[in-house]
Amino acid sequence: MTTSDNGDNGGIDQSVQAELDRLRGSIDNIDAAVVHMLAERFKCTQQVGHLKAAHHLPPADPARESRQITRLRELAESARLDPAFAEKLLNFIIAEVIRHHETIADGSAPRP
Ligand SMILES: C=C(O[C@@H]1C=C(C(=O)O)C=C[C@H]1O)C(=O)O
């Protein structure tokens, strides 16, 4: 067995290390894509927040959220992702968006 250290049992086989590095490279790329996609999503939701504030619409729209959750759960199922996890993630993001919308409606967020 080829290990990356002096033979103690803490060493990792080099082929295992190479596979770990390859997979972690992909994970890093995916994490970067997630960050970029979230940034784009927040750019859109900020604009929605300003539109709502300008027209005195409430920050949250529970009916829209309910449709999104139904849709996302279906997408998750077909992608073999746990639908409960997908729902929790969407709710987490939406809660942050609503917080932004409340700040915009308060008048404490500058227009971009
Ligand atoms: C972005 C909106 O505002 C809120 C945030 C949502 C979201 O992040 O997808 C969905 C509904 C609203 O509670 C919207 O009304 O479309």
Side-chain angles (χ1 to χ4, degrees):
M1 191 196 311
T2 312
T3 58
S4 57
D5 75 353
N6 61 10
D8 287 25
N9 63 4
I12 300 175
D13 186 276
Q14 282 180 358
S15 65
V16 173
Q17 186 64 56
E19 180 70 344
L20 194 55
D21 290 347
R22 186 185 68 76
L23 291 167
R24 285 178 175 171
S26 290
I27 291 167
D28 286 347
N29 286 345
I30 293 164
D31 287 349
V34 168
V35 165
H36 286 288
M37 286 191 289
L38 277 175
E40 284 306 304
R41 190 184 198 279
F42 276 101
K43 277 188 209 164
C44 292
T45 57
Q46 284 298 90
Q47 290 178 54
V48 170
H50 285 284
L51 197 59
K52 284 180 173 178
H55 297 275
H56 307 287
L57 296 168
D61 183 341
R64 160 79 174 150
E65 290 171 29
S66 167
R67 291 193 299 275
Q68 286 167 284
I69 285 162
T70 301
R71 175 172 174 268
L72 210 78
R73 287 186 67 101
E74 286 167 5
L75 285 171
E77 265 175 51
S78 57
R80 296 177 187 226
L81 177 72
D82 178 2
F85 170 76
E87 180 171 349
K88 267 195 274 181
L89 180 62
L90 185 64
N91 279 328
F92 181 70
I93 295 167
I94 290 176
E96 181 69 3
V97 171
I98 292 170
R99 203 179 60 77
H100 292 176
H101 287 187
E102 287 166 349
T103 304
I104 294 166
D106 282 353
S108 45
R111 191 84 180 84

